[in-house]
Amino acid sequence: MLRMPPFTVLNPSTVDEAMEQMLAAAGEARWLAGGTDINPNLKHRLLEPQALIALEGVGELRGVSVNEKGWLRLGAMTTLTEVAEHAQIQAQWPALAQAASLVSGPQLRNMGTIGGNVMLDTRCQWYNQTHFWRKSLGYCMKKDGTECHVIKGGSKCVAAASNDTAPALMTLDAEIEIASGDGRARMPLAELWQADGIWNRKLSPQELLVAIHLPPTAAKHHGAYGKLRDRGSIDFPLFGIAVRLDLDDAGKIAHAALCAVALQARPWPLKKVADALCGTTPGEQDFLDAVEQVAALAAKQCRPMPNIPGDHEYRHAMVPVYTKRTLFAAAAKAGPVHHL
Ligand SMILES: Cc1cc2nc3c(=O)[nH]c(=O)nc-3n(C[C@H](O)[C@H](O)[C@H](O)COP(=O)(O)OP(=O)(O)OC[C@H]3O[C@@H](n4cnc5c(N)ncnc54)[C@H](O)[C@@H]3O)c2cc1C
């Protein structure tokens, strides 16, 4: 049986109180949201904080609302189930609702939060293992060791961003609201990430994600999320791709965005690739031709490594397949795409 290490749990009720507790802990505390990722990681001794600061009682971190300008605000502690089942999110930000609906399984979505998903630790088959297992291999550079087992002689950790909602949020131009010792700040989600699997965010573990803000989508916005995984009922992505298509009044694509996940340390926007879709009309031959072109370009840019489970050559072969399926699903306003 894997046991929890000893730690103290603090229960603030406001963001200010939470920040005071975090600063007082001088780097020895971590945030606890739904606990669905941090708890297994504690059991595997992947982190050993002296305290967890539970965010459950912080009211400001909860709730979904849309302001008078049409911006969606998601409190960081909003559960994935709430995001997946929210009728307005399904209608106006469909890729996000679909991505949330495909995270793990129902029980974990009831506990897991959108904030915990954005701030999810990167994953690697050499890292997400018990202490005994990791020790027997001399550890790895992400925790306790110096060597990378994915890329022999590699100098940078390539553990993969594996958070399903991140690519959908990226295509939707999400902004994040952060609390830190310096007060509050807001920044584009796209600026959060860095290419380092040890810690793939530019914010420190002490900074708090308060809320996610999404601009309103166009009247003719289409979006979808496609996810490759071993078991349709629970697994992390082996490859994930979010699609955004905004149509003009004539039905042509005026703006397109694509973002992939489960490849490398950062969610991976495919900006130039998506541009090939602009000016085409879903349902017409020019769109079908562009989809073929985009799928081929995505396969060139997305190069899965043997960092997460699943044969990486198979994952690579699935890149154009899932890119196409997800584009067709978005164009048809169909539901999420996933491998069963
Ligand atoms: C069996 C299993 C399958 C899973 N499958 C998937 C999957 O398919 N896709 C997927 O994306 N995830 C998956 N997960 C991981 C996890 O369930 C989700 O990512 C979930 O959204 C994490 O949210 P949480 O609230 O439980 O985060 P927690 O576990 O509480 O926290 C995760 C991390 O985020 C930090 N954090 C949490 N909230 C904040 C905040 N507000 N500000 C700053 N930092 C914060 C924590 O300190 C911690 O480092 C799976 C987990 C398990 C156990």
Side-chain angles (χ1 to χ4, degrees), residues 30-41 47 55 61 76-77 80 102-105 108-109 111-121 123 162-165 199 201 204-205 207-210 227 229 231 234-237:
R30 290 296 179 108
W31 304 116
L32 173 68
T36 61
D37 193 64
I38 199 169
N39 286 344
N41 291 352
L47 61 165
L55 299 172
L61 302 183
M77 287 296 287
L80 294 164
L102 295 180
V103 173
S104 51
L108 291 156
R109 288 195 294 274
M111 286 301 293
T113 64
I114 187 80
N117 196 249
V118 169
M119 295 304 194
L120 192 73
D121 193 10
R123 295 184 65 81
S162 302
N163 33 1
D164 281 305
T165 67
W199 184 258
R201 282 140 285 160
S204 80
E207 289 173 277
L208 176 67
L209 175 63
V210 174
K227 172 170 177 173
R229 57 179 166 176
R231 296 167 295 182
I234 192 159
D235 284 318
F236 278 94

